[in-house]
Amino acid sequence: MAESFEIILSELGALEGAFKSESDEVKGPQALEEIRIKYLGRKGSVAQYFKKMGSVSTADKPKLGNTLNKLKDEFQTEIDRIQVSLQTKSEDNGFIDLTLPGTPPQVGYRNPLMLVMDEIKEIFSSMGFSTETGPLVETEFYNFEALNVPADHPSRDLQDTFYLENDLLLRTHTSPVQIRTMQKQKPPVRIIALGRCFRKDTPDASHSPEFHQCEGLVVDKGIAFSHLKGTLLAFARKLFGPNIQVRFRPSFFPFTEPSAEYDFSCIICSGKGCRTCKKTGWLEISGAGMVDPAVFGYVDYDAEIYTGFAWGMGIERIAMMKYGIDDIRHFYENDFRFLKQF
Ligand code: DAH
């Protein structure tokens, strides 16, 4: 007598359910292989049902064959899927190759200007200087007038200075910190002032409307130009090495008398002459001089008793020399490829 195809179909439904719940529980490759043998092995459940092909009616034979083939494919696909997921899990969690390099977390980098400013601070601190700061938004009094810069001086021009409302401006140098320090402190004074300054410059390889300066100021009894020379030489040698020379050339600044510009011997060719120093052997740094007695007048220091020296310095210029950077705009572009080199 032919077996009922309907009964076989419902048995196959139960078999499918059993396979699903067992395969869902599989924890490892061993258990998965056991399931494969149980359902798809030579003597497994599906094979047993194929044997029943002989006992169903001729009309049901192709239907049973079809159903069993589909079921076999379905079981096989599921077993393959589980096998892949077990493998991935074991790679993730099971085996850790400690010899492989790790993935370092992405960290930020300090702008080389900050590194140079830290170094400058440290050098001057070791020479007994403290670091003062001042506001970026200044008054005309601190930025120009108290520094003895006359009203018709070109640096006061609209072309050069960013003026704001109410007689305020963006400071064009760190020199106003001299005045602020002397107003609140009696001599002796030994300070540097580091920070941002602004001028209406069109950006190119050596100009930026935003830049940084280091201002220095020493005031005491008996301070002479030789102290200025000694201070800058000691600084230059700590920063660039023991063979650096410093030279002074006569110049003019409203806040110093006498005034000078100072150069460091070229750090690339040690003064022999190369492309960087345009064959002169010297690199221009900035200005310096003895504090003009007129400046002391603005802060109530007695110029008969005290003398002092001051100097300026461009941080970008120092950083460019130190790291061999050829374009000032790199400092302000925040390009990760540039920053990560320092
Ligand atoms: N303030 C000047 C500038 O921005 C630099 C400078 C020159 C500062 C001479 C000084 C100095 O203290 O004595 O160009």
Side-chain angles (χ1 to χ4, degrees), residues 87-103:
Q87 235 165 33
T88 325
K89 257 193 216 153
S90 85
E91 277 160 17
D92 281 355
N93 307 328
F95 178 68
I96 299 171
D97 186 349
L98 296 173
T99 64
L100 286 175
T103 316

Side-chain angles (χ1 to χ4, degrees), residues 132-314:
E132 295 289 328
T133 53
L136 306 186
V137 173
E138 268 295 6
T139 61
E140 283 210 54
F141 175 79
Y142 287 107
N143 198 78
F144 294 127
E145 196 181 329
L147 287 160
N148 201 34
V149 179
D152 58 357
H153 193 275
S155 66
R156 290 214 190 194
D157 202 302
L158 271 173
Q159 302 272 325
D160 297 295
T161 301
F162 288 106
Y163 285 95
L164 309 170
E165 288 170 355
N166 304 326
D167 282 340
L168 295 172
L169 49 83
L170 297 182
R171 71 177 181 192
T172 59
H173 48 183
T174 40
S175 307
V177 182
Q178 282 190 27
I179 307 298
R180 290 183 175 275
T181 305
M182 288 190 283
Q183 271 185 341
K184 63 175 195 218
Q185 182 185 333
K186 291 286 157 211
V189 171
R190 206 174 340 171
I191 60 129
I192 58 164
L194 286 159
R196 212 141 37 116
C197 308
F198 307 86
R199 275 181 213 176
K200 278 192 179 170
D201 277 327
T202 307
D204 62 24
S206 51
H207 294 87
S208 165
E210 171 187 14
F211 57 98
H212 294 72
Q213 278 192 346
C214 171
E215 181 81 13
L217 173 72
V218 171
V219 184
D220 205 346
K221 291 176 186 159
I223 295 294
F225 202 97
S226 53
H227 296 127
L228 167 63
K229 288 174 90 170
T231 301
L232 290 181
L233 186 63
F235 166 74
R237 290 185 173 176
K238 282 194 183 195
L239 189 69
F240 289 122
N243 299 323
I244 294 288
Q245 302 290 339
V246 178
R247 79 170 181 188
F248 292 79
R249 292 172 286 115
S251 186
F252 174 80
F253 295 98
F255 30 89
T256 42
E257 183 57 38
S259 300
E261 271 172 69
Y262 64 96
D263 308 334
F264 290 172
S265 55
C266 180
I267 59 162
I268 307 290
C269 64
S270 307
K272 288 185 200 74
C274 68
R275 241 180 43 194
T276 303
C277 60
K278 298 194 189 89
K279 303 251 185 281
T280 63
W282 297 95
L283 297 168
E284 290 177 19
I285 306 296
S286 184
M290 299 304 291
V291 179
D292 194 303
V295 173
F296 284 153
Y298 284 98
V299 296
D300 270 343
Y301 277 16
D302 190 339
E304 297 295 320
I305 302 174
Y306 298 109
T307 48
F309 65 81
W311 77 91
M313 194 155 58

